Amino acid sequence: MKITKVDVMQVKTPNPSWRPILCRVYTDEGIYGDGEAALAYGIAAPAAFGMIRDLAALIIGMDPLDNEVVWDTLYKNTFWGQNGGPVVFAGISAIDFALWDIRGKFFNVPVYKLLGGKKQDNLRCYASQLQFGWSDHWEEAKDTEEYAANARKAVEEGYDAIKIDFFTFDRKDGRRFDKITETTGILKQYYVGLVEERVAAVREAVGPDVDIIMENHSVPDANGAVQLARAVEKYNIFYFEEPNTPSPKTAKFIADHINIPISHGERVYSRWQYAQYFENMSVQVIQPDLGNCGGITEGKKICDMAHVYDISVQAHVCAGPLSTAAALQLECVIPNFIIHEHHRNALLPHNRELCIYDYQPVNGTYKVPELPGLGNEFSEKALTCCDKITVE
């Protein structure tokens, strides 16, 4: 079996800041596989589109079942692949997704079977990013009661874990905090008090048995992160996500000064970058995004490395439904899985329509797709409402 061509697509959505980057890899046996670069948000989507286009030219004529051979080709023969960042690895990830999809369809089994078999079928998940509401449209929580109300709503739907960035909007005028001038360095007590006020309200709203993950989006630096963590420790935070710009040294500083588990990962790429966090034990939960860390091939290796250090895994999932399917296929296999991220973007209609199946959790629990391959594929709407190039 040989790869014959690759379609690369940038999907048009009603939200100009949400630009999914997709690919479909075709073979001479009529089997195709779908992939996604998890850079739909931020400013890197067009770069990911170009990266997949360039990488696709390298794999024409290769055997799609030789995923390790293809991966090493994309990593070693591209110059920028070695020690690359999000754009390079998102491109590799998208192609890798598609190859695993082809492999599963070729052997007529779900990907998890090819990864060694699932250890559990009911994957606990949490409602993610509740500062933006929990519904099929975008909202912004500014008043403290809005944070509490969003948390209650998710818990009423059956979730026993939630995640919120409490340091996004000001209470005075609802504006976003300036990430450069207001949230770095040692923080003013106003900011620390505001965050604690919101955490306290959410804890009271959901009760003692719901896990709260505190999102930071790398907004503070190490000093501010320590201030915030110490202020909220008494509210029993499940883990403290992306407390500062990812760095194994500053992560270690934070870990040594607080009593909450730390997580990092959505801006860490490949096993080489993760290794430093494992070696100094600065994180307790890793969050590799399979759509930008190197795909399922690399993601499995990262998770296995983490297991050696007793570090838990929660895949970062903030892209389209194909990325959700890929994450579920891997998470059910690894012994160090802790919880799955169900992002509020997965509730938005223009995102749910990207694939033919709309997998959603029930009572805060996900089932693993059982169809061959990833268990999902792009919808006709995604394939037609896009800018597309074909590499062959």
Side-chain angles (χ1 to χ4, degrees), residues 22 39 73 106-107 113 124 137 171 175 182 186 196 212 219 248-249 251 256 271 295 300 306 319 354 375-376 379:
L22 316 176
L39 298 179
T73 297
F106 180 82
F107 291 106
K113 283 286 189 184
R124 184 192 188 201
H137 61 279
R171 69 153 69 91
R175 65 179 179 84
E182 293 183 283
I186 297 174
E196 182 180 356
I212 299 174
V219 168
K249 288 186 176 180
D256 288 344
R271 75 199 94 145
K300 178 62 162 57
L354 291 178
N376 214 341
S379 65

Side-chain angles (χ1 to χ4, degrees), residues 360-375:
Q360 297 287 333
V362 177
N363 293 322
T365 301
Y366 249 120
K367 287 286 189 181
V368 181
E370 293 290 345
L371 296 172
L374 295 177

Side-chain angles (χ1 to χ4, degrees), residues 125-265:
C125 63
Y126 66 85
S128 181
Q129 308 299 339
L130 300 186
Q131 72 274 12
F132 299 121
W134 190 248
S135 67
D136 63 358
H137 61 279
W138 196 264
E139 300 170 342
E140 295 181 349
K142 295 161 186 175
D143 296 334
T144 296
E145 175 51 34
E146 291 176 316
Y147 285 82
N150 292 343
R152 280 193 295 267
K153 183 175 182 181
V155 171
E156 287 169 358
E157 292 181 11
Y159 294 90
D160 64 0
I162 58 174
K163 181 166 77 179
I164 303 176
D165 186 333
F166 297 93
F167 200 8
T168 305
F169 305 105
D170 198 349
R171 69 153 69 91
K172 295 177 181 178
D173 52 15
R175 65 179 179 84
R176 284 179 180 263
F177 288 116
D178 188 304
K179 295 180 181 179
I180 300 172
T181 63
E182 293 183 283
T183 63
T184 53
I186 297 174
L187 299 173
K188 294 179 181 179
Q189 187 53 45
Y190 170 78
Y191 301 124
V192 178
L194 174 62
V195 169
E196 182 180 356
E197 173 189 307
R198 291 169 172 172
V199 173
V202 169
R203 172 53 73 200
E204 181 178 0
V206 301
D209 297 327
V210 172
D211 286 318
I212 299 174
I213 301 167
M214 183 166 168
E215 168 75 89
N216 295 281
H217 281 125
S218 293
V219 168
D221 65 14
N223 293 296
V226 170
Q227 287 178 277
L228 294 173
R230 287 178 172 175
V232 303
E233 283 176 0
K234 56 181 170 286
Y235 302 106
N236 193 21
I237 302 302
F238 195 41
Y239 50 87
F240 197 57
E241 179 174 332
E242 272 205 313
N244 72 322
T245 299
S247 161
K249 288 186 176 180
T250 51
K252 179 61 173 171
F253 171 84
I254 298 168
D256 288 344
H257 287 82
I258 70 174
N259 295 310
I260 306 173
I262 290 177
S263 66
H264 263 300

Side-chain angles (χ1 to χ4, degrees), residues 103-123:
R103 174 185 286 257
K105 292 173 180 175
F106 180 82
F107 291 106
N108 197 34
V109 294
V111 164
Y112 74 75
K113 283 286 189 184
L114 303 174
L115 293 172
K118 63 182 174 184
K119 293 180 172 62
Q120 54 181 312
D121 188 39
N122 299 300
L123 299 184

